[in-house]
Amino acid sequence: TQSMDRPCSLTGAQSAVVQAFRFEGGRAQVLWSAQDSQTSATSAVQSPDLAAGDNPRMDQHRVLRGLDRVANDELLFDPGDEARPRLQQRLATLGLGRFIGTLQDVGRGVYLGLALHRSVHDAHDFSGEHVNRLADLAPHLGQAFLLTDQLQASMQRDERLRGLLDSLRLGIVLC
């Protein structure tokens, strides 16, 4: 949570959310998520369906437009796409306005997305400097996610090995 507060302070965003997900049937299935402290306290409670992948930005045909770059809604949605104003209305009820985000393929069919939102009351766009900071930050988040994933897999493997050794008889272990 604290590490997600930093992009908010650097960019003037009100909300920062990072999610690992994979696609099933063209829709994102969220595997893991982290939010800044303010978003953790409010948005996920008020609108769990958005946090859980019921978000038109997360449709496969839209989200992949943002792969390996910083994207906004103008890039992700086609002109006249009715899903965009509906999403913006839902986000506005949560106090969230303008959006930028990044998307990375971290392997094995898993994607890592980072979304920043300004306050609904903040009419300013994210600046070029903010876009550059987000572009610089994204690879580091991807690396941190991969390292964490590898560490967790190693810990799970060690726990399974311990369980197997605990179930063996002493004589077999000595052999």
Side-chain angles (χ1 to χ4, degrees), residues 11-89:
T11 63
Q14 177 176 316
S15 171
V17 176
V18 64
Q19 293 179 323
F21 57 90
R22 69 175 25 141
F23 293 108
E24 292 179 18
R27 297 286 297 173
Q29 301 299 315
V30 176
L31 307 171
W32 173 85
S33 180
Q35 303 88 19
D36 66 281
S37 55
Q38 184 174 342
T39 303
S40 289
T42 60
S43 297
V45 173
Q46 294 172 4
S47 187
D49 55 327
L50 282 175
D54 185 22
N55 179 336
R57 277 191 199 125
M58 302 287 279
D59 287 346
Q60 189 171 9
H61 73 278
R62 288 188 189 102
V63 76
L64 290 179
R65 294 177 184 177
L67 187 60
D68 296 327
R69 60 176 150 178
V70 177
N72 57 23
D73 282 338
E74 287 74 23
L75 178 69
L76 300 181
F77 289 90
D78 291 327
D81 187 336
E82 293 178 9
R84 182 178 174 189
R86 284 195 310 266
L87 173 63
Q88 289 173 334
Q89 286 176 332

